[in-house]
Each structure stands twice: as structure tokens, then as C-alpha cells.
Amino acid sequence: APDQAECHVRLADAFEELGNWREALRWYRTARRLDPGWPVPQLGAAAVHLRLGASAAALEILETLYRTTGGAEPVGDHWAGALAAVAEQVPVVREDDVYFITRRSEVQQMRPLLARAAAVATDPAVVERIAGIRRYVRRCRRLEFTVGWLRHPDNPWPYGALGGLGAGAVAAAGF
């Protein structure tokens, strides 16, 4: 039925399964026009935007939806997942699905995204995933502090006194 949002969402889902992101977006938008209060088309559109690399558009949709639904549980979890996904795209050094935080600026960019994600997530699996990412970011932050202290002129143990221990890793990490 051309006037039922659910039919348009099913069509958008089919295009999404086929990898036709532009058509999927088109049908999610049509479904939203037909039923502006139903969050499903907006959640679908946000997911497609993330796949297309348009993270700002996805986050804007999800934040607006979160506010208009009063923080409805599944919407918060979708927003939290998107925030975490965007945070995980920050590190430059990566291989396949693994990334390595190598710069202070990466930590600084990731922390607020993950803090916001932790604040809106309610699903235990999403909460745990975000907590795991935050633990890794904290470990990287502590490493940066430790390396900074090793290089500091007031350090009673000169950097060279360690016999080069870890010097290669420190240099590779860009600290």
C-alpha cells in the first residue's frame, strides 16, 4: 500500500540488503513522511548514513530522534552504538577491524563521543561494549602520560638510562 509507512520501510530494508544505499534512504524518507512519529524509518536512515560514511548526518538524526522520543530505550542504544562506531573510526592506524590509538589527539576526540554514548546506552551489551572501548582509551591515555614523563627533563631516570627499553614502541606510537 503506497500510503503505509511500514511497506516503505520493508522496501528500504530490501534495498539495504542489496547494498543499494541511495534507494534505501529514499524509501526510509518516504516512510518518515507518511508516519513522522514512527522512529523506525529514522533509525534505518541513520544506519545507512553510517554505512555511507556520513556520520554527522547519522548522529544528527539519532540525537534529534532521542530528544523527540524522550530518550526511548532502543533509540538511545542506537545512538550510543553510532557514537561508539564514530569514535572507533578516529584512530588512523588500523588493520582490518583492529585499530591502534597512537596520538593524544585521537584520545581527545574519542573520549567525549564515548562519554555521551555511555550516558544514553541502556542495553547491557551496548553498555559493556562502550565500557570496553573506554577502558582501552584510558589505557592509551595512561601510556601517553607515562611516556611523556619518561621524556620529561625533571624525570630522575633519564630516558636513555632504560637502555632503549621500549624506545621503539614509544617512537612507533608517536609519543
Side-chain angles (χ1 to χ4, degrees):
D3 60 345
Q4 293 183 352
E6 187 176 340
C7 294
H8 293 281
V9 165
R10 287 185 184 158
L11 190 56
D13 290 343
F15 278 113
E16 199 172 343
E17 285 291 318
L18 294 170
N20 189 336
W21 314 118
R22 302 287 177 203
E23 279 299 305
L25 272 178
R26 176 178 165 229
W27 294 107
Y28 282 132
R29 286 184 188 125
T30 301
R32 181 177 179 210
R33 267 195 317 276
L34 292 171
D35 190 352
W38 189 34
V40 172
Q42 293 175 71
L43 292 173
V48 170
H49 280 298
L50 281 173
R51 285 187 178 263
L52 291 172
S55 56
L59 293 179
E60 182 180 334
I61 289 169
L62 292 167
E63 182 176 4
T64 301
L65 187 58
Y66 183 81
R67 292 182 197 290
T68 59
T69 61
E73 193 171 299
V75 175
D77 291 326
H78 282 274
W79 187 25
L83 286 162
V86 170
E88 289 187 302
Q89 293 304 310
V90 169
V92 176
V93 178
R94 57 182 60 249
E95 183 174 319
D96 298 323
D97 291 336
V98 179
Y99 60 88
F100 303 94
I101 297 172
T102 60
R103 294 177 174 88
R104 179 182 308 173
S105 61
E106 293 171 346
V107 170
Q108 292 169 340
Q109 286 178 286
M110 292 176 78
R111 288 177 74 192
L113 292 166
L114 295 168
R116 186 65 180 141
V120 299
T122 57
D123 181 270
V126 175
V127 169
E128 182 52 38
R129 177 173 171 256
I130 293 164
I133 299 167
R134 291 179 87 187
R135 282 190 297 271
Y136 174 61
V137 171
R138 276 194 301 276
R139 281 194 308 270
C140 291
R141 175 68 178 112
R142 282 194 299 270
L143 172 65
E144 186 270 331
F145 175 77
T146 303
V147 171
W149 174 244
L150 286 173
R151 290 185 170 171
H152 195 276
D154 292 336
N155 179 1
W157 302 286
Y159 185 67
L162 296 175
L165 178 66
V170 170
F175 292 112

